[in-house]
Amino acid sequence: MTTYSLAPGWPRVLAALGLDPEAVARHARLPADLQRYPGARIGAEDFFALWEAAEALYQGPDLAVAIASAVSADHFEAAVFAGLASRDLAQAAERIALYKRLIYPVTLDVRTDTGLRIALRPRAPFTPPAVLERFELLFWVAFARLATRARIRPVRITVPNPPDDQTAVADFLDGAVLAQGRAAVVFSPSDMHRPFDTDVHTGMWEHLESDLRWRLHDLEQSATWADRTQEALLTCLPAGRRTLAEVALQLATSPRTLQRRLEAEGTSFQEVLAQTRERLARAYLRRSTLSSTEIAFLIGYGELTSFHRALRQWTGETPRSLRSV
């Protein structure tokens, strides 16, 4: 499956906000020492669970605002640092969007026809928590201010579930608040073309681009057919497609070829299907309020009893016990 590594600055940011990185990991039901290993990688659902855990343990008014306020070049990944080597916000958004999947299980949709609009789009059925959506959008405001050295204010920011108390958000946005809608931030045409005023030499982009393109290529080439099949199933299952033929079509190959490639890796389509169903079931039970019947339908079971039987076989537990973990 596709995995992601935490930004090197994540533990430092948590510590600066009074949070113990190990306590956050434990609260997310992940190894306490996870963040001591820069090469450690986790799936989308665990990545999101860390953000939910950090929000649950944070004592301030809004974790998203606090982390956005702490944005600095010292905490950036190379992909984001490349944005500082851009001429303006429009170019930075295009560059960062291209490499965002190296960092987060979220895609950026960038439009520049009438101002700059940056929208968030999950790449898997695991919906980002509200705190992460808020941070991702507030980050762009902080980034724009850092790069231009101007107090830029977005035209608007929308999120699916605005927080009831937006005092901290209003302070950060100089009086503006979050409206309800698809997760997106919009900047005016003048602000999206405001020249960047940074110490990052634009020539550095040539070196960064080569490295980032190689990382993207490596990411694409290192995926096994089992990984690709699971990623396809994450999209196919909620849409009611679960057969070998349907998944092979999604992967632009034939059912026989897909099965042969999976067998060469020591697995089978049915094994990958079961693993994907288990992964989705655990995520839905722990991170959503969906009923067992709805979850059974989303992972491809027509009968609730079949889902319960499969869950018992995978985990030895019931839906209720998994929700309470």
Side-chain angles (χ1 to χ4, degrees):
M1 67 178 178
T2 302
T3 57
Y4 307 89
S5 59
L6 294 173
W10 170 257
R12 296 198 304 272
V13 170
L14 291 182
L17 298 177
L19 292 170
D20 178 358
E22 293 192 0
V24 171
R26 285 194 297 269
H27 196 278
R29 306 185 188 96
L30 294 171
D33 60 351
L34 171 70
Q35 295 162 94
R36 294 183 185 178
Y37 303 97
R41 301 183 67 85
I42 55 178
E45 59 270 47
D46 290 334
F47 191 100
F48 294 155
L50 279 172
W51 276 85
E52 292 176 322
E55 182 179 38
L57 298 176
Y58 183 57
Q59 298 297 312
D62 192 317
L63 179 67
V65 173
I67 297 182
S69 300
V71 164
S72 74
D74 294 337
H75 298 150
F76 287 164
E77 282 271 347
V80 182
F81 190 73
L84 288 176
S86 305
R87 64 173 177 270
D88 56 27
L89 192 58
Q91 186 180 64
E94 295 284 358
R95 287 179 174 177
I96 293 175
L98 179 61
Y99 302 107
K100 190 67 173 179
R101 59 197 181 102
L102 291 171
I103 308 170
Y104 283 154
V106 173
T107 295
L108 299 181
D109 290 331
V110 178
R111 292 179 52 183
T112 56
D113 46 355
T114 56
L116 173 62
R117 181 177 185 271
I118 305 169
L120 305 184
R121 175 167 52 86
R123 292 198 306 275
F126 307 106
T127 305
V131 62
L132 178 56
E133 288 182 323
R134 289 200 306 278
F135 165 73
E136 280 294 302
L137 301 177
L138 295 175
F139 158 82
W140 282 101
V141 180
F143 177 83
R145 290 170 176 174
L146 177 68
T148 63
R149 303 184 191 275
R151 190 70 182 177
I152 287 181
R153 185 179 183 218
V155 174
R156 66 180 175 277
I157 299 183
T158 55
V159 292
N161 301 293
D164 294 332
D165 184 357
Q166 296 204 43
T167 304
V169 172
D171 288 342
F172 182 78
L173 296 178
D174 299 334
V177 294
L178 308 177
Q180 187 169 28
R182 180 186 174 188
V185 57
V186 178
F187 295 94
S188 69
S190 59
D191 282 337
M192 81 172 184
H193 290 308
R194 189 187 294 268
F196 277 9
D197 180 15
T198 70
D199 296 327
V200 180
H201 193 275
T202 54
M204 189 175 295
W205 166 246
E206 297 177 4
H207 302 286
L208 289 170
E209 183 180 29
S210 176
D211 175 65
L212 291 170
R213 285 193 181 279
W214 176 253
R215 289 172 62 190
L216 274 176
H217 175 77
D218 184 60
L219 179 67
E220 293 167 354
Q221 295 301 311
S222 63
T224 65
W225 278 97
D227 291 336
R228 296 176 187 181
T229 301
Q230 183 170 105
E231 292 302 313
L233 282 166
L234 290 175
T235 301
C236 290
L237 280 174
R241 304 192 303 273
R242 59 181 181 274
T243 67
L244 173 62
E246 290 169 325
V247 174
L249 181 63
Q250 177 88 0
L251 293 171
T253 188
S254 70
R256 177 178 292 185
T257 298
L258 177 57
Q259 189 69 284
R260 186 171 64 250
R261 286 170 171 166
L262 290 173
E263 288 173 356
E265 293 177 358
T267 186
S268 68
F269 177 75
Q270 290 302 320
E271 288 179 7
V272 177
L273 175 61
Q275 291 166 1
T276 308
R277 281 172 158 168
E278 179 184 355
R279 180 185 174 195
L280 284 169
R282 287 180 181 274
Y284 286 137
L285 286 168
R286 291 177 177 175
R287 299 190 61 249
S288 79
T289 57
L290 293 171
S291 68
S292 294
T293 301
E294 291 171 317
I295 294 173
F297 175 78
L298 285 173
I299 65 175
Y301 286 102
E303 297 180 356
L304 186 59
T305 53
S306 298
F307 168 55
H308 283 181
R309 185 164 55 249
L311 193 66
R312 176 76 68 176
Q313 181 180 351
W314 297 329
T315 67
E317 300 185 69
T318 65
R320 176 173 295 182
S321 61
L322 279 175
R323 283 193 192 276
S324 63
V325 173

PDB file of all heavy atoms in Angstrom, residues 57-68:
ATOM      1  N   LEU A  57      -4.923  15.949  22.305  1.00  0.00           N
ATOM      2  CA  LEU A  57      -4.026  16.235  23.430  1.00  0.00           C
ATOM      3  C   LEU A  57      -3.649  17.706  23.543  1.00  0.00           C
ATOM      4  O   LEU A  57      -3.134  18.123  24.586  1.00  0.00           O
ATOM      5  CB  LEU A  57      -2.749  15.391  23.298  1.00  0.00           C
ATOM      6  CG  LEU A  57      -2.933  13.867  23.342  1.00  0.00           C
ATOM      7  CD1 LEU A  57      -1.603  13.169  23.106  1.00  0.00           C
ATOM      8  CD2 LEU A  57      -3.549  13.439  24.665  1.00  0.00           C
ATOM      9  N   TYR A  58      -3.902  18.484  22.505  1.00  0.00           N
ATOM     10  CA  TYR A  58      -3.503  19.889  22.512  1.00  0.00           C
ATOM     11  C   TYR A  58      -4.373  20.695  23.469  1.00  0.00           C
ATOM     12  O   TYR A  58      -5.595  20.550  23.492  1.00  0.00           O
ATOM     13  CB  TYR A  58      -3.611  20.453  21.092  1.00  0.00           C
ATOM     14  CG  TYR A  58      -3.157  21.886  20.966  1.00  0.00           C
ATOM     15  CD1 TYR A  58      -1.883  22.267  21.355  1.00  0.00           C
ATOM     16  CD2 TYR A  58      -4.018  22.857  20.457  1.00  0.00           C
ATOM     17  CE1 TYR A  58      -1.458  23.586  21.237  1.00  0.00           C
ATOM     18  CE2 TYR A  58      -3.601  24.175  20.331  1.00  0.00           C
ATOM     19  CZ  TYR A  58      -2.325  24.536  20.718  1.00  0.00           C
ATOM     20  OH  TYR A  58      -1.910  25.846  20.605  1.00  0.00           O
ATOM     21  N   GLN A  59      -3.739  21.575  24.232  1.00  0.00           N
ATOM     22  CA  GLN A  59      -4.460  22.344  25.250  1.00  0.00           C
ATOM     23  C   GLN A  59      -4.892  23.723  24.755  1.00  0.00           C
ATOM     24  O   GLN A  59      -5.618  24.430  25.440  1.00  0.00           O
ATOM     25  CB  GLN A  59      -3.581  22.508  26.493  1.00  0.00           C
ATOM     26  CG  GLN A  59      -3.203  21.202  27.160  1.00  0.00           C
ATOM     27  CD  GLN A  59      -4.425  20.447  27.679  1.00  0.00           C
ATOM     28  OE1 GLN A  59      -5.287  21.023  28.337  1.00  0.00           O
ATOM     29  NE2 GLN A  59      -4.502  19.162  27.361  1.00  0.00           N
ATOM     30  N   GLY A  60      -4.447  24.138  23.592  1.00  0.00           N
ATOM     31  CA  GLY A  60      -4.782  25.463  23.078  1.00  0.00           C
ATOM     32  C   GLY A  60      -6.117  25.495  22.366  1.00  0.00           C
ATOM     33  O   GLY A  60      -6.824  24.483  22.281  1.00  0.00           O
ATOM     34  N   PRO A  61      -6.495  26.657  21.805  1.00  0.00           N
ATOM     35  CA  PRO A  61      -7.800  26.805  21.170  1.00  0.00           C
ATOM     36  C   PRO A  61      -7.937  26.109  19.822  1.00  0.00           C
ATOM     37  O   PRO A  61      -9.005  25.620  19.491  1.00  0.00           O
ATOM     38  CB  PRO A  61      -7.952  28.322  21.017  1.00  0.00           C
ATOM     39  CG  PRO A  61      -6.546  28.840  20.982  1.00  0.00           C
ATOM     40  CD  PRO A  61      -5.771  27.937  21.900  1.00  0.00           C
ATOM     41  N   ASP A  62      -6.886  26.066  18.992  1.00  0.00           N
ATOM     42  CA  ASP A  62      -6.994  25.478  17.656  1.00  0.00           C
ATOM     43  C   ASP A  62      -5.615  25.015  17.200  1.00  0.00           C
ATOM     44  O   ASP A  62      -4.738  25.832  16.910  1.00  0.00           O
ATOM     45  CB  ASP A  62      -7.574  26.487  16.657  1.00  0.00           C
ATOM     46  CG  ASP A  62      -7.981  25.832  15.333  1.00  0.00           C
ATOM     47  OD1 ASP A  62      -7.226  24.993  14.830  1.00  0.00           O
ATOM     48  OD2 ASP A  62      -9.061  26.177  14.811  1.00  0.00           O
ATOM     49  N   LEU A  63      -5.429  23.699  17.125  1.00  0.00           N
ATOM     50  CA  LEU A  63      -4.132  23.144  16.738  1.00  0.00           C
ATOM     51  C   LEU A  63      -3.739  23.563  15.325  1.00  0.00           C
ATOM     52  O   LEU A  63      -2.568  23.848  15.054  1.00  0.00           O
ATOM     53  CB  LEU A  63      -4.170  21.625  16.826  1.00  0.00           C
ATOM     54  CG  LEU A  63      -2.882  20.898  16.420  1.00  0.00           C
ATOM     55  CD1 LEU A  63      -1.759  21.196  17.402  1.00  0.00           C
ATOM     56  CD2 LEU A  63      -3.125  19.389  16.316  1.00  0.00           C
ATOM     57  N   ALA A  64      -4.699  23.611  14.403  1.00  0.00           N
ATOM     58  CA  ALA A  64      -4.397  23.983  13.017  1.00  0.00           C
ATOM     59  C   ALA A  64      -3.800  25.379  12.946  1.00  0.00           C
ATOM     60  O   ALA A  64      -2.819  25.626  12.236  1.00  0.00           O
ATOM     61  CB  ALA A  64      -5.656  23.896  12.164  1.00  0.00           C
ATOM     62  N   VAL A  65      -4.373  26.309  13.680  1.00  0.00           N
ATOM     63  CA  VAL A  65      -3.865  27.680  13.699  1.00  0.00           C
ATOM     64  C   VAL A  65      -2.481  27.716  14.342  1.00  0.00           C
ATOM     65  O   VAL A  65      -1.569  28.408  13.853  1.00  0.00           O
ATOM     66  CB  VAL A  65      -4.830  28.607  14.466  1.00  0.00           C
ATOM     67  CG1 VAL A  65      -4.212  29.996  14.644  1.00  0.00           C
ATOM     68  CG2 VAL A  65      -6.156  28.715  13.731  1.00  0.00           C
ATOM     69  N   ALA A  66      -2.310  26.969  15.410  1.00  0.00           N
ATOM     70  CA  ALA A  66      -1.029  26.969  16.122  1.00  0.00           C
ATOM     71  C   ALA A  66       0.097  26.460  15.226  1.00  0.00           C
ATOM     72  O   ALA A  66       1.186  27.033  15.191  1.00  0.00           O
ATOM     73  CB  ALA A  66      -1.134  26.117  17.380  1.00  0.00           C
ATOM     74  N   ILE A  67      -0.150  25.378  14.483  1.00  0.00           N
ATOM     75  CA  ILE A  67       0.900  24.833  13.621  1.00  0.00           C
ATOM     76  C   ILE A  67       1.134  25.747  12.419  1.00  0.00           C
ATOM     77  O   ILE A  67       2.277  25.957  12.005  1.00  0.00           O
ATOM     78  CB  ILE A  67       0.547  23.400  13.171  1.00  0.00           C
ATOM     79  CG1 ILE A  67       0.479  22.475  14.387  1.00  0.00           C
ATOM     80  CG2 ILE A  67       1.583  22.881  12.186  1.00  0.00           C
ATOM     81  CD1 ILE A  67       0.188  21.024  14.040  1.00  0.00           C
ATOM     82  N   ALA A  68       0.075  26.307  11.871  1.00  0.00           N
ATOM     83  CA  ALA A  68       0.241  27.241  10.750  1.00  0.00           C
ATOM     84  C   ALA A  68       1.054  28.449  11.182  1.00  0.00           C
ATOM     85  O   ALA A  68       1.884  28.971  10.420  1.00  0.00           O
ATOM     86  CB  ALA A  68      -1.119  27.672  10.216  1.00  0.00           C
TER      87      ALA A  68
END
